[in-house]
């Protein structure tokens, strides 16, 4: 499966990924349990989307602004990108890592931005958390309910160390498909063919194609 085919598949399977994972005011709370954090933020993001006409219309610039201002400080995107890249990440230069993260983030945002207009009467049900209070990594499971069958949307989260520590998301699972696992073989194929620069170039070309298809710069 190539990058374009995979993007279309994810766009069909996960219309709420950006809505629930990349468009909320992710305020860090050191003493907030991970499931409580997801429950609170899910409610907040749905309110924001319903009130923001630009987000509802799939305005990529608006979505990107929210991601940069509210999301990225509270998501371990470096870990997410490194996990998707695999062993090639260790061989990449700091500049290559920076470029790869930027293109990957743009790809995710542009792939799902148009799906935000589908958000209307959805509610999110957080499932009971499995594990103990001392766990440093957990999976928070949720069901997004609307008309028809509920959509599974789960979060892999890690406890950050140090004073004022909180929880960060580093992977997403939609309908049984983890985002990192889904991208890893695609990234490996590009790296095997031409190294990290080939992967960066492939993502950049895909992002250019998304711009052209959306008619937005």
């Amino acid at each position: 499966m190539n990058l374009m085919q995979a993007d279309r598949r994810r766009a069909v399977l996960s219309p709420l990924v950006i809505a629930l994972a990349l468009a909320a005011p992710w305020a860090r709370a050191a003493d907030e349990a991970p499931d409580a954090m997801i429950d609170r933020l899910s409610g907040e993001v749905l309110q924001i989307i319903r009130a923001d006409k630009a987000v509802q219309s799939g305005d990529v610039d608006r979505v990107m602004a929210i991601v940069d201002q509210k999301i990225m400080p509270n998501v371990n995107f470096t870990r997410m990108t490194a996990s998707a890249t695999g062993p090639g990440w260790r061989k990449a230069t700091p500049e290559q890592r920076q470029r790869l993260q930027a293109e990957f983030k743009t790809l995710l945002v542009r792939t799902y931005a148009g799906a935000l207009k589908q958000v209307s009467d959805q509610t999110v049900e957080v499932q009971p958390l499995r594990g103990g209070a001392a766990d440093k990594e957990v999976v928070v499971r949720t069901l997004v309910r609307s008309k028809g069958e509920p959509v599974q949307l789960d979060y892999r989260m890690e406890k950050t160390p140090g004073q004022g520590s909180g929880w960060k998301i580093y992977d997403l699972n939609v309908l049984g498909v983890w985002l990192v696992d889904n991208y890893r073989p695609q990234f490996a194929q590009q790296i095997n063919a031409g190294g990290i620069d080939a992967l960066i170039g492939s993502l950049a070309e895909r992002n250019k194609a998304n711009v052209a298809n959306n008619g937005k710069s």
Side-chain angles (χ1 to χ4, degrees):
M1 183 183 297
N2 59 35
L3 287 176
M4 185 176 296
Q5 291 172 329
D7 290 345
R8 287 199 295 264
R9 181 172 180 266
R10 282 186 298 276
V12 171
L13 289 179
S14 51
L16 293 179
V17 168
I18 279 290
L20 297 178
L22 296 180
W26 295 85
R28 178 179 298 181
D31 58 349
E32 189 173 28
D35 54 341
M37 173 182 171
I38 294 298
D39 188 33
R40 173 178 60 82
L41 295 176
S42 296
E44 290 177 358
V45 64
L46 290 174
Q47 291 181 357
I48 290 174
I49 294 171
R50 290 166 183 151
D52 194 317
K53 299 300 183 183
V55 173
Q56 291 175 16
S57 69
D59 187 323
V60 174
D61 291 336
R62 173 61 177 153
V63 176
M64 289 288 279
I66 293 175
V67 169
D68 288 334
Q69 295 169 10
K70 305 294 185 181
I71 311 308
M72 297 311 293
N74 299 282
V75 175
N76 191 340
F77 198 69
T78 298
R79 176 174 179 176
M80 182 182 292
T81 308
S83 297
T85 305
W89 179 263
R90 294 192 296 270
K91 302 177 182 179
T93 66
E95 180 183 2
Q96 287 174 322
R97 292 179 178 184
Q98 184 177 11
R99 291 169 57 202
L100 179 55
Q101 289 185 77
E103 295 293 349
F104 189 27
K105 183 185 74 172
T106 299
L107 176 68
L108 293 177
V109 172
R110 288 195 175 277
T111 297
Y112 297 116
L116 295 180
K117 65 184 67 176
Q118 301 179 35
V119 176
S120 56
D121 61 347
Q122 287 82 359
T123 60
V124 176
E125 178 183 315
V126 178
Q127 305 300 295
L129 185 64
R130 303 172 185 174
D135 290 348
K136 301 301 182 183
E137 296 195 2
V138 299
V139 174
V140 177
R141 295 175 171 83
T142 75
L143 292 176
V144 181
R145 298 189 180 278
S146 184
K147 298 177 181 177
E149 293 295 320
V151 175
Q152 176 187 350
L153 178 57
D154 303 335
Y155 303 81
R156 280 182 175 145
M157 304 179 69
E158 64 176 3
K159 185 70 175 294
T160 58
Q163 184 177 6
S165 61
W167 290 90
K168 289 190 177 184
I169 295 170
Y170 66 89
D171 202 358
L172 301 167
N173 179 1
V174 183
L175 294 176
V177 179
W178 287 102
L179 184 148
V180 167
D181 292 341
N182 196 48
Y183 275 104
R184 187 179 291 121
Q186 304 167 47
F187 283 15
Q189 182 179 11
Q190 294 293 330
I191 293 172
N192 291 337
I196 289 291
D197 285 334
L199 173 58
I200 295 171
S202 177
L203 294 176
E205 287 299 316
R206 185 72 194 108
N207 288 330
K208 290 179 182 178
N210 281 339
V211 171
N213 292 336
N214 293 334
K216 292 180 177 288
S217 59

